[in-house]
Amino acid sequence: MSDFEPKILIFACNWCSYAGADMAGVSRYQMPPNCRIIRVMCSARVRPEQVISALTQGLDAVLVLGCHPGDCHYTEGNYLTRRRGIMLKNLLETMGFEKNRFQVNWVSAAEGARFAQVVSEFVEEIKALGPSHVSRDKDTGTHA
Amino acid sequence: MSRVKVGVFVCHCGSNIGGTVDVPDVVEYAKDLPLVHYSEDNLYTCSDAGLTAIKEKIKEHGLNRVVVASCTPRTHEELFRRTCEEAGVNRYLFEFVNLREHCSWIHMNQPQEATCKAKELVRLGAAKAARLRPLEIARAQIKPACLVIGGGVAGLSAAGSLAQQGFEVHLVERNDRLGGLTVDLWKLLPGDRPASELLHTLTARVTKNDNVTLYLSSELNEITGFIGSFKATLSTPSGKKDIEIGTVIVATGAVELEPLGLYNLGKTEGVITQMGLEKMLSDGRKDLGDVVFINCAGARGPDREYCGRLCCAVSIKNARYLKEADPDARVTVLQRDVMAFGTEFETEYRKAMCAGVRFIRFSPDRPPTTIGNDKVTGVRIYNQLTGEESDLSANTVVLTTPLAADSGASDLAQMLKVPVDKDGFFLEAHLKLRPVEFATDGVFIAGAARFPADIGEAVAQGTAAAAKAAAPMFAGEVSVEATTALTNPRLCSGCATCEAVCPFGAIEITQDRHGRPVSEVNAVMCKGCGACAAACPCGAIQQLGFTDSQIFEMVRSLARDGDPSGSEG
């Protein structure tokens, strides 16, 4: 599993984290190419079912990025995200997914370096975790 | 609706994207994606040639969805949306894919992986584009009238400024006179001019302008609506009064904290607060004998963490006045730190010391205590520098207490659906970027209602809030973001979860024609965050432009469709 390349979905809020990802690009911070970003206006737009759907369809991990607590463009959306995140982690565990396959984190519009760091560390963590049971089954199903 | 035809335009951005990502390969890949009818690459899609190409291909191929895969929507979305519009395609049928900041620039040494990722990003964009629906930007008229709540210096400044610009102003003041806390002040720093002089100038701007309607001894009872058309009910001495306004400025100020019992305030005669002292000075009493000021009274502790900010300057000012009035009196300021910010207050601090005012530092662990049962006779202090306890004689003890949020602030906050912080002060949209605005459009904040502000700051904030309120009123109308929430009443169970999570009070549970509860979104108040759409257990509320169908399709496309590692193997 040493050459395992996870496929990771990131939901990034428009105002902070998506802009932080832009800043990472502008600053040419290099990071592993495992993540795909879906832009939402606020991290609170991410419906728990969307995370569950991503994992049950075989993505290896999901990361939701929002503004730092207190900085939400919509005042308190990221607090909803934080609470939903706690609930969702527990739910995912009962579905057989390791808790850390789903994480919530904060990146501001100015934090290009932090974006790169958060993404790189997340990819490393998921690599160490290996494929999820769904993506493993999917792989063995198609390539056995 | 006609058949969906997606056009994909992949940008080289010179070599910024094309130098890493195999753009022609991405174009070829895009051609085979579902509902994609046309795909091409451009050296610079944002150039005239690139934009012209988009418009031509829209017409030539009958494209009705457009995907541009280039840089970031944060800088270029508006340009491409307008281009679509010019070619007769609704601006919301455009989808952006970021191949530069989010791909080529961050995977510069991995061209194969970057190309593979670029293909997937384009696939996600096309998947979403196919599900986009046309949206219309709504416009709301703005009534050129402003309600200013509070007739202190901030409110007077705001009202005067707006009236001067020709706007109708309704100024509501709870008390029977204008001026707020400043009415009770004696002289002001810097310059030692009487506070009444300044108030006279500020008040005249308001009372002598016909654009201002003044409501004294009046309060705001109720307010509904949104930017452009608020409806407010005032309770005035002559009964209820309904007014219509386009904007609102909150300038309700603050109150001086009166921590009864602290240092025997209210129990021992001779222990007063700074406002009490200001009133005595205004009344001409300056023979207070030996005076000890105790600063940070009720501030910077576990119950009230913030620094009152102005208090040091106030104690410096009044201590000097007393010392100058009676040079034989011993005037001492007990302080935890002297925060004489800016250039003026530091100078004033020196002036007070030169006048003979003593400043002694104490520690909050061993605070001073007042001596005297019925009447105060002194203050016992542990001097942190000498490590000794000593008694100071005092005929008067003045507590320097911070400004605190008005107890009515939370009610007003609920009425206006704006936030307050943990100390009860109003909270602006952004401390640095939007300092006098609330997150709620059309509602602004000025003066000590936000945080202890001195008079200069309150006047400046009042003027700033007036300028911010004037902008939409000059424009006459406001355009409303189209990617707002929308309820499907047939799916809604009326559970009110959406109402609870909406940070803007834009959702209301109303009744449909069968009398069943149903959620209704006010599109003008909705800011389009989508929190309600994520919370709705029935999927009845959707955020337009970010619908469940669109996001789930992107997730599905990413998870289930094949890995496009492509020709490289």
Side-chain angles (χ1 to χ4, degrees):
Chain A
M1 271 305 153
S2 59
D3 55 354
F4 165 58
E5 291 295 340
K7 202 159 161 182
I8 295 170
L9 169 62
I10 297 178
F11 286 104
C13 82
N14 180 64
W15 305 98
C16 290
S17 306
Y18 192 92
D22 280 356
M23 183 58 78
V26 170
S27 316
R28 308 296 198 280
Y29 290 116
Q30 300 301 296
M31 57 196 102
N34 304 66
C35 299
R36 313 285 182 260
I37 292 181
I38 292 182
R39 179 171 70 114
V40 284
M41 294 311 281
C42 179
S43 60
R45 171 62 188 100
V46 179
R47 207 181 167 85
E49 292 95 315
Q50 284 153 359
V51 176
I52 296 169
S53 156
L55 292 173
T56 53
Q57 290 185 84
L59 292 181
D60 294 297
V62 179
L63 179 61
V64 174
L65 297 178
C67 309
H68 284 277
D71 285 352
C72 177
H73 183 80
Y74 302 103
T75 319
E76 53 199 38
N78 50 3
Y79 295 139
L80 292 173
T81 304
R82 186 161 64 183
R83 273 185 266 165
R84 282 178 192 149
I86 295 165
M87 180 272 295
L88 188 51
K89 266 178 176 289
N90 291 327
L91 182 62
L92 288 170
E93 205 175 28
T94 65
M95 297 173 72
F97 293 101
E98 295 88 342
K99 273 191 177 184
N100 286 351
R101 288 194 188 278
F102 164 69
Q103 290 183 29
V104 173
N105 214 327
W106 320 120
V107 174
S108 83
E111 293 175 331
R114 180 174 160 80
F115 178 84
Q117 188 196 347
V118 166
V119 165
S120 302
E121 286 174 5
F122 189 64
V123 171
E124 279 315 304
E125 197 176 341
I126 300 306
K127 276 187 178 174
L129 216 51
S132 82
H133 66 271
V134 177
S135 92
R136 203 165 47 228
D137 293 351
K138 197 167 133 184
D139 272 9
T140 46
T142 48
H143 301 296
Chain B
M1 192 178 289
S2 56
R3 236 154 49 91
V4 168
K5 291 183 178 178
V6 181
V8 177
F9 299 83
V10 187
C11 182
H12 286 264
C13 194
S15 63
N16 280 304
I17 297 170
T20 305
V21 170
D22 185 343
V23 171
D25 193 21
V26 176
V27 170
E28 284 310 305
Y29 176 77
K31 284 183 175 150
D32 293 331
L33 291 172
L35 301 172
V36 171
H37 270 244
Y38 180 78
S39 165
E40 70 168 39
D41 55 336
N42 322 95
L43 186 56
Y44 289 102
T45 311
C46 63
S47 67
D48 277 348
L51 299 178
T52 307
I54 293 178
K55 286 190 269 193
E56 281 173 7
K57 301 304 173 190
I58 286 175
K59 296 217 167 86
E60 194 181 323
H61 297 271
L63 305 175
N64 51 23
R65 302 289 187 282
V66 174
V67 174
V68 171
S70 58
C71 48
T72 170
R74 295 177 52 83
T75 55
H76 281 67
E77 187 168 58
E78 181 55 30
L79 177 70
F80 293 126
R81 279 182 165 176
R82 223 182 309 132
T83 304
C84 290
E85 230 165 24
E86 284 165 17
V89 173
N90 180 279
R91 61 194 278 112
Y92 289 97
L93 297 177
F94 166 77
E95 179 64 14
F96 218 117
V97 174
N98 189 329
L99 293 190
R100 194 179 68 177
E101 282 84 345
H102 294 191
C103 189
S104 64
W105 275 353
I106 59 171
H107 310 308
M108 296 177 91
N109 304 317
Q110 295 166 281
Q112 278 188 24
E113 288 84 350
T115 302
C116 172
K117 176 172 172 176
K119 289 177 183 173
E120 283 206 318
L121 292 175
V122 168
R123 190 172 82 214
L124 294 189
K128 181 173 180 187
R131 278 171 171 69
L132 290 173
R133 294 286 173 267
L135 304 174
E136 294 306 324
I137 292 181
R139 293 190 185 281
Q141 296 293 311
I142 306 256
K143 185 169 168 59
C146 182
L147 167 66
V148 178
I149 310 170
V153 285
L156 286 172
S157 152
S161 169
L162 282 170
Q164 209 174 17
Q165 294 175 73
F167 294 110
E168 186 184 324
V169 178
H170 299 269
L171 178 58
V172 182
E173 168 56 49
R174 189 167 56 180
N175 293 312
D176 56 4
R177 81 271 178 289
L178 293 169
L181 286 179
T182 311
V183 169
D184 291 325
L185 302 184
W186 186 45
K187 285 186 190 175
L188 305 175
L189 291 185
D192 301 326
R193 302 299 305 164
S196 54
E197 227 175 56
L198 175 114
L199 262 189
H200 181 77
T201 312
L202 281 174
T203 309
R205 277 186 208 163
V206 167
T207 51
K208 292 193 176 149
N209 193 314
D210 293 341
N211 290 333
V212 181
T213 314
L214 192 57
Y215 306 88
L216 289 176
S217 308
S218 303
E219 283 189 66
L220 176 67
N221 256 12
E222 202 191 333
I223 186 161
T224 56
F226 40 83
I227 182 168
S229 52
F230 290 101
K231 288 187 171 62
T233 308
L234 312 175
S235 65
T236 73
S238 51
K240 294 252 185 284
K241 165 94 179 146
D242 292 324
I243 56 170
E244 288 183 19
I245 58 267
T247 54
V248 179
I249 295 177
V250 176
T252 45
V255 293
E256 185 195 40
L257 183 71
E258 266 196 281
L260 290 177
L262 184 67
Y263 301 114
N264 271 348
L265 178 67
K267 291 181 182 164
T268 305
E269 197 190 328
V271 181
I272 59 174
T273 62
Q274 289 283 3
M275 284 308 273
L277 175 64
E278 295 271 2
K279 279 180 213 162
M280 289 166 88
L281 291 170
S282 301
D283 293 342
R285 284 200 49 197
K286 294 171 192 85
D287 53 331
L288 302 178
D290 291 343
V291 182
V292 174
F293 290 82
I294 304 178
N295 285 4
C296 298
R300 300 173 70 206
D303 296 338
R304 191 173 295 273
E305 291 173 348
Y306 65 89
C307 163
R309 222 172 145 258
L310 320 170
C311 327
C312 282
V314 171
S315 64
I316 287 167
K317 169 185 85 163
N318 286 336
R320 175 166 61 82
Y321 293 157
L322 290 175
K323 185 70 185 171
E324 285 171 352
D326 182 3
D328 294 333
R330 273 174 291 184
V331 180
T332 313
V333 177
L334 304 182
Q335 44 86 6
R336 278 171 56 188
D337 299 288
V338 175
M339 312 254 190
F341 60 88
T343 47
E344 290 87 357
F345 293 147
E346 189 63 25
T347 311
E348 295 293 338
Y349 182 27
R350 281 162 211 268
K351 269 164 72 179
M353 284 192 285
C354 292
V357 176
R358 284 198 303 164
F359 289 82
I360 301 176
R361 190 157 196 257
F362 72 90
S363 155
D365 303 332
R366 290 184 73 171
T369 48
T370 49
I371 308 168
N373 291 326
D374 300 333
K375 192 168 181 344
V376 73
T377 57
V379 175
R380 180 159 300 154
I381 169 144
Y382 172 76
N383 188 325
Q384 240 190 330
L385 294 177
T386 60
E388 283 170 0
E389 204 164 66
S390 56
D391 289 351
L392 304 169
S393 99
N395 305 100
T396 308
V397 170
V398 183
L399 304 187
T400 314
T401 62
L403 290 181
D406 191 295
S407 56
S410 58
D411 286 345
L412 182 59
Q414 280 196 346
M415 225 190 286
L416 289 166
K417 300 191 176 75
V418 296
V420 290
D421 68 13
K422 68 180 170 55
D423 294 305
F425 289 106
F426 287 97
L427 203 57
E428 74 286 82
H430 191 288
L431 183 66
K432 298 183 186 73
L433 298 176
R434 298 175 64 192
V436 295
E437 298 169 72
F438 282 114
T440 306
D441 281 343
V443 189
F444 306 88
I445 170 83
R450 167 63 191 98
F451 196 73
D454 67 28
I455 289 174
E457 290 165 339
V459 170
Q461 289 173 21
T463 314
K468 280 288 177 187
M473 294 199 289
F474 271 125
E477 62 173 24
V478 61
S479 56
V480 180
E481 180 54 60
T483 53
T484 51
L486 186 68
T487 309
N488 179 344
R490 283 184 303 174
L491 295 178
C492 177
S493 67
C495 71
T497 305
C498 49
E499 188 185 27
V501 299
C502 178
F504 305 100
I507 303 179
E508 209 181 343
I509 302 299
T510 57
Q511 291 193 337
D512 69 6
R513 57 196 171 86
H514 307 294
R516 283 183 317 206
V518 65
S519 128
E520 194 179 322
V521 180
N522 182 324
V524 180
M525 288 165 84
C526 174
K527 297 279 190 302
C529 67
C532 55
C536 177
C538 315
I541 286 204
Q542 288 301 328
Q543 181 189 6
L544 301 175
F546 295 87
T547 62
D548 277 345
S549 135
Q550 289 157 1
I551 296 178
F552 275 113
E553 179 58 19
M554 290 174 93
V555 172
R556 195 202 64 78
S557 170
L558 179 59
R560 310 264 311 256
D561 292 346
D563 190 2
S565 21
S567 48
E568 296 90 351

